[in-house]
Amino acid sequence: MRFRVRPARALHGEAEVPGDKSVSHRAALLGALAEGVSEVQGYLEAEDCLRTLTAVQALGAEVTRKGPGHYRIAGGGLRGLSEPGDVIDCGNSGTAARLLCGVLAGQPFWTLMTGDASMRRRPMGRIADPLRKMGATLVGRAEGTRLPLAIRGTATPKAMEYATPVASAQIKSAVLLAGLGADGPVTVIEPAPSRDHSERILRRFGARVTTDERAVTLTPGPLRATTVTVPGDISSAAFLLVAGLIVGDAQVTLHRVGVNPTRTGVLDVLQAMGARIATTRAADEGEPTASLTAASTALRATEIGGARLIPRLIDEVPILAVAAAVASGVTVVRDATELRVKESDRIAAIGRELGKLGVPIEERPDGMAITGGHRLRGAVLNSGGDHRMAMALAVAALVADGESVVDDVECVNTSFPQFTKTINDLAGSPVITVEA
Ligand code: S3P
């Protein structure tokens, strides 16, 4: 599948963004581990999160769809899951694979787990190491550091204090989930804070979680079923916000966007680039939300780096690179080596693909330098199977001279299936068409 993208003259209106991917995965997993029936609204019905729902069903949880994004999940408690009869396929989803390993480290049975070609290349040793220390057995390719993996948990994982070398919510969450049934508290110490959705939703399900500047501690205990309202995903909103800033005649308002401070680095950077993003805070249901409005602005270059900022915007670097490509001056991204192990090597992919649009980019080991301000010229681009690259390139093509093609775009369905419809509705005409 490919996108054919025509330049957009204008983007106007209001849009809803799909449910937050991180929160949706966690709601499914905790619903399955809790005692009783949990009710989830706003669940992200995109491939990644549907994989997690299928996985918890394979492990014995009962999942009922009540309407769009509305699910009832009947969990059997921490000891209520059972050995799945077949391999669990996590598709393209690192969060599904890594958080599931955390859950399974506390289950005394074997599970076989795999993923798609991209996922089978991504590192799993980062979660396998701490989970082994807690008593789980993980074996698989590349000395047990790549999918497919087989995992056998233990009914009582060992209490542990774990200092993770990378600020990663997936590592932190895997250890916390394994800790729910542990024989004592588990503590995760991070080099810098990562997104805190797990801590928030664990508390909502009745878990005892305490945090200080760099450490999170979970005291084992049962989870009780609850209701969860998933906010809109700021990582999806980011594509629409940047489109609203760089298209010549634009004003775009997005409602109910999650603005958890561990995720809003993209707003800070866009503000540093000269954007005024009007924010109206809405009621807080465990995760803060807001309406965000972006309008056409002349952007200027900035610096994107630092151990505390990068984890707050790691998924937004592809679309921030597009903003940098049209901004005046040189934007430098540093301290972002993690980009190399996402759905694709995003440092290489951004350099390669924005280069085709005529953007001078210098690739560096931990980031890039992007010289902005040149007119972009339409080109034939390729997402490399990475959903965030596909959407970032489509937004860049909206402001290029002439038509562009973005190849390999099925991947957009992993996180934002309504992406093209949302952009076309805002444009008032089909600026992005999907071709088989
Ligand atoms: C996620 C954490 C981040 C992020 C990913 C979702 C999560 O990964 O890139 O898209 O839901 O915990 P890392 O934890 O590996 O940084």
Side-chain angles (χ1 to χ4, degrees):
M1 233 165 78
R2 45 169 37 189
F3 289 155
R4 187 169 295 279
V5 188
R6 278 177 279 279
R9 256 177 288 110
L11 287 182
H12 282 279
E14 308 193 352
E16 287 266 327
V17 288
D20 187 276
K21 187 148 74 70
S22 293
V23 177
S24 296
H25 284 300
R26 287 158 172 81
L29 295 172
L30 294 195
L33 288 170
E35 287 161 15
V37 180
S38 294
E39 190 112 9
V40 185
Q41 303 267 9
Y43 194 88
L44 173 59
E45 293 185 312
E47 275 167 22
D48 273 16
C49 296
L50 295 175
R51 296 266 182 197
T52 300
L53 280 182
T54 307
V56 299
Q57 280 177 300
L59 289 163
E62 239 177 74
V63 177
T64 317
R65 187 176 189 268
K66 305 300 289 180
H70 182 187
Y71 289 86
R72 258 182 213 155
I73 304 170
L78 296 179
R79 308 262 173 263
L81 301 181
S82 51
E83 185 170 285
D86 201 352
V87 179
I88 290 186
D89 186 351
C90 297
N92 193 244
S93 178
T95 309
R98 299 200 178 105
L99 269 56
L100 263 172
C101 283
V103 169
L104 294 168
Q107 304 297 322
F109 52 72
W110 280 101
T111 303
L112 307 178
M113 197 186 288
T114 192
D116 70 7
S118 145
M119 201 48 230
R120 293 195 304 273
R121 284 192 293 271
R122 296 179 65 190
M124 293 296 284
R126 50 178 58 196
I127 53 104
D129 287 345
L131 298 178
R132 286 188 190 112
K133 289 195 173 85
M134 296 178 80
T137 304
L138 290 99
V139 291
R141 288 173 60 232
E143 305 299 337
T145 65
R146 293 279 188 280
L147 292 175
L149 281 172
I151 174 164
R152 189 184 201 287
T154 158
T156 322
K158 291 200 249 313
M160 181 176 66
E161 185 175 292
Y162 185 66
T164 157
V166 209
S168 157
Q170 294 179 354
I171 301 175
K172 172 176 67 180
S173 304
V175 172
L176 295 177
L177 289 168
L180 284 166
D183 60 7
V186 290
T187 297
V188 182
I189 302 160
E190 295 191 281
S194 63
R195 61 189 66 190
D196 69 356
H197 302 301
S198 292
E199 295 89 311
R200 288 171 183 258
I201 198 169
L202 277 162
R203 286 193 195 104
R204 188 156 181 93
F205 277 85
R208 281 173 294 166
V209 181
T210 55
T211 48
D212 63 32
E213 178 58 2
R214 276 172 49 204
V216 182
T217 299
L218 175 130
T219 304
L223 300 178
R224 53 162 198 273
T226 187
T227 56
V228 176
T229 305
V230 180
D233 198 326
I234 191 165
S235 296
S236 298
F239 299 104
L240 307 175
L241 289 176
V242 171
L245 291 168
I246 66 176
V247 167
D249 168 16
Q251 176 155 329
V252 172
T253 298
L254 309 172
H255 295 298
R256 234 182 45 76
V257 181
V259 287
N260 179 320
T262 61
R263 295 282 300 282
T264 48
V266 61
L267 302 182
D268 298 347
V269 167
L270 291 173
Q271 263 144 21
M273 296 178 86
R276 277 167 292 112
I277 297 175
T279 304
T280 315
R281 283 291 293 269
D284 189 333
E285 296 177 3
E287 290 283 349
T289 63
S291 294
L292 304 177
T293 300
S296 317
T297 309
L299 299 175
R300 53 178 184 268
T302 188
E303 297 252 325
I304 307 174
R308 296 185 74 86
L309 177 63
I310 292 295
R312 296 178 56 235
L313 52 66
I314 190 73
D315 292 339
E316 286 66 73
V317 174
I319 190 61
L320 284 172
V322 172
V326 300
S328 58
V330 179
T331 293
V332 175
V333 179
R334 57 168 64 94
D335 309 316
T337 320
E338 274 294 296
L339 290 172
R340 296 208 180 266
V341 292
K342 293 296 177 188
E343 285 82 330
S344 66
D345 175 343
R346 288 182 176 157
I347 294 176
I350 291 167
R352 186 186 67 232
E353 299 303 320
L354 290 190
K356 293 179 190 167
L357 290 164
V359 182
I361 298 199
E362 180 196 320
E363 189 183 317
R364 297 179 177 170
D366 69 336
M368 64 204 85
I370 303 166
T371 303
H374 299 275
R375 288 290 310 165
L376 307 189
R377 50 168 194 266
V380 177
L381 307 166
N382 196 303
S383 76
D386 181 334
H387 57 132
R388 300 206 195 281
M389 285 303 302
M391 291 184 276
L393 294 173
V395 170
L398 293 177
V399 296
D401 289 332
E403 206 173 82
S404 296
V405 165
V406 187
D407 275 317
D408 202 357
V409 297
E410 293 86 345
C411 50
V412 167
N413 290 328
T414 61
S415 67
F416 197 168
Q418 313 80 354
F419 172 73
T420 44
K421 180 176 174 357
T422 307
I423 293 273
N424 289 338
D425 286 351
L426 291 168
S429 68
V431 285
I432 306 181
T433 47
V434 182
E435 297 175 352

